[in-house]
Amino acid sequence: MVNERESVTAKLCSFARAYHSNFGENKIYDDYLAFDLMGKKQYEEMGQLIQNNFDSSKFDSKKWFNQRAIRNAVYDYMLPIPLSRFSFAKRELRAFEQKYSGKSEKIQYLICGAGMDSYAFRNTNEKLQIFEVDHPDSQKYKKARIRELDWILPRNLTFVPVDFTKDSLKERLLEQGFNPNLPTFTAILGVSYYLELGVFEETLKVISEITNENSQIIFDFPDETTLSSHAAERVKKLAQITAGLGEPMLKGFSIKEIQNALARNSLKIENYQSPKDIQNLYFSGRRDNLRAYENVHFVKAIKTKRS
């Protein structure tokens, strides 16, 4: 099932945040609730998955993964993209809040493909209404973990279960109280790698249609070198890993293709970060071997007019 495959990717992303928060020095992004929300069992499963060269059939519930044995793989493949893109999201969200919190009674944060994101439990801005969009099965597991931890659900958090094979994102959001007239910050992270541009553009279109002119969208995307023979060896290896997990990267996009897709939906780029920019902003001067991926780009887009 595709949903099961996607859950492995989400778990690896959660593992990366938890691992870095527990063991990282000079933290790029500190999700100090990641381990608790993920749970010891799944943390161990993902650690063993990495140690066993991403072969899930070798999992042994009676064993522990060796932290030293997985360090190189974690630093080379698991940490760079999630840590830098969440740090990017944190910076842009903070700037958005500073700009609009004083101008509006409420503002909205829409997280598409939220997975095990814990931001709603770390957020301190009572004006920020958080909408987490994810597959019903993924949200079912997350809610179960929250109950097990005896965490209190924030009043400004709304879960929006969406099965994209049969549900309308727009309808589901509106049913759950999403307000198109409020300034909205939307994050679509870790999604474009596994979609054709036309499919990804449909999500951009929906978000543009249901948000006002004071809204912003951030996302990351792989460039056109991703699946080419000229791709960096690390990029080729990551593509092999995701394909082996049943979720192959389909292609990459040029910045021109991204600009055109945004323009078709009344959006334009306000902040663009190339791989070189990402390296300088998030990894420069580090003593460990963390470094930006050669094919990953970050974008913040804003509305050009009311859709």
Side-chain angles (χ1 to χ4, degrees):
M1 289 177 61
V2 171
N3 296 327
E4 292 176 346
R5 293 166 185 164
E6 289 175 342
S7 69
V8 174
T9 304
K11 290 174 187 176
L12 284 170
C13 185
S14 296
F15 179 90
R17 298 199 304 269
Y19 184 97
H20 185 64
S21 294
N22 288 340
F23 304 112
E25 297 181 4
N26 188 20
K27 293 181 176 56
I28 298 170
Y29 181 80
D30 188 8
D31 186 347
Y32 54 85
L33 296 178
F35 179 83
D36 289 339
L37 189 55
M38 184 180 194
K40 181 178 178 181
K41 180 181 178 181
Q42 284 203 351
Y43 184 81
E44 180 63 35
E45 288 178 358
M46 292 302 101
Q48 285 197 36
L49 181 67
I50 298 168
Q51 185 171 340
N52 294 324
N53 199 26
F54 301 93
D55 183 349
S56 59
S57 67
K58 295 182 179 180
F59 174 72
D60 187 343
S61 60
K62 298 178 182 180
K63 292 183 178 181
W64 296 83
F65 71 84
N66 185 318
Q67 183 182 325
R68 289 186 177 181
I70 70 169
R71 187 186 186 282
N72 288 342
V74 170
Y75 272 66
D76 283 345
Y77 305 114
M78 299 296 102
L79 296 183
I81 299 176
L83 295 182
S84 54
R85 74 182 175 211
F86 280 115
S87 184
F88 170 67
K90 179 181 178 180
R91 290 185 183 193
E92 293 297 345
L93 176 60
R94 182 178 297 152
F96 177 83
E97 290 179 290
Q98 290 174 346
K99 184 173 182 179
Y100 291 108
S101 285
K103 299 179 181 180
S104 178
E105 183 178 349
K106 293 181 180 180
I107 56 178
Q108 297 176 142
Y109 181 20
L110 173 58
I111 310 174
C112 295
M116 300 301 283
D117 190 290
S118 69
Y119 185 77
F121 295 90
R122 293 180 282 116
N123 169 56
T124 58
N125 185 353
E126 295 182 355
K127 283 190 172 185
L128 189 66
Q129 305 299 303
I130 301 173
F131 294 83
E132 290 194 6
V133 174
D134 217 334
H135 189 276
D137 291 343
S138 298
Q139 289 193 341
K140 183 178 179 181
Y141 174 79
K142 185 172 187 175
K143 289 179 179 179
R145 282 295 304 154
I146 291 170
R147 288 193 296 270
E148 290 172 10
L149 293 165
D150 201 26
W151 286 0
I152 298 174
L153 283 175
R155 287 182 292 179
N156 57 345
L157 170 62
T158 301
F159 290 107
V160 185
V162 178
D163 182 343
F164 283 95
T165 64
K166 58 184 179 182
D167 296 332
S168 162
L169 173 60
K170 181 177 181 179
E171 291 178 1
R172 289 290 177 266
L173 281 169
L174 295 176
E175 289 171 358
Q176 294 298 322
F178 183 87
N179 188 341
N181 297 314
L182 291 177
T184 301
F185 184 88
T186 300
I188 315 174
L189 301 174
V191 174
S192 64
Y193 302 79
Y194 312 105
L195 301 176
E196 296 287 347
L197 182 57
V199 178
F200 182 62
E201 186 176 340
E202 279 299 310
T203 301
L204 295 175
K205 178 181 179 181
V206 172
I207 301 303
S208 181
E209 288 176 346
I210 62 171
T211 56
N212 69 12
E213 65 274 12
N214 295 321
S215 298
Q216 302 174 2
I217 302 175
I218 63 165
F219 59 91
D220 55 337
F221 73 93
D223 66 31
E224 65 273 27
T225 70
T226 300
L227 299 180
S228 73
S229 59
H230 303 295
E233 289 304 313
R234 185 169 56 141
V235 174
K236 292 178 181 178
K237 176 63 176 178
L238 183 62
Q240 292 173 358
I241 291 171
T242 59
L245 294 173
E247 195 175 354
M249 287 188 269
L250 297 183
K251 61 174 296 185
F253 319 118
S254 69
I255 185 62
K256 187 63 176 178
E257 287 178 304
I258 292 295
Q259 288 174 324
N260 290 339
L262 291 169
R264 288 191 289 268
N265 295 285
S266 302
L267 296 163
K268 67 177 182 179
I269 294 176
E270 183 178 72
N271 184 9
Y272 163 66
Q273 294 181 3
S274 68
K276 183 177 180 180
D277 295 328
I278 294 169
Q279 175 65 35
N280 291 335
L281 285 167
Y282 309 107
F283 301 107
S284 179
R286 297 188 65 85
R287 290 186 294 179
D288 54 34
N289 62 342
L290 277 174
R291 64 192 193 281
Y293 258 84
E294 296 84 348
N295 67 321
V296 173
H297 305 244
F298 298 159
V299 165
K300 177 177 77 172
I302 59 174
K303 300 291 285 291
T304 55
K305 63 181 180 179
R306 183 181 295 274
S307 299

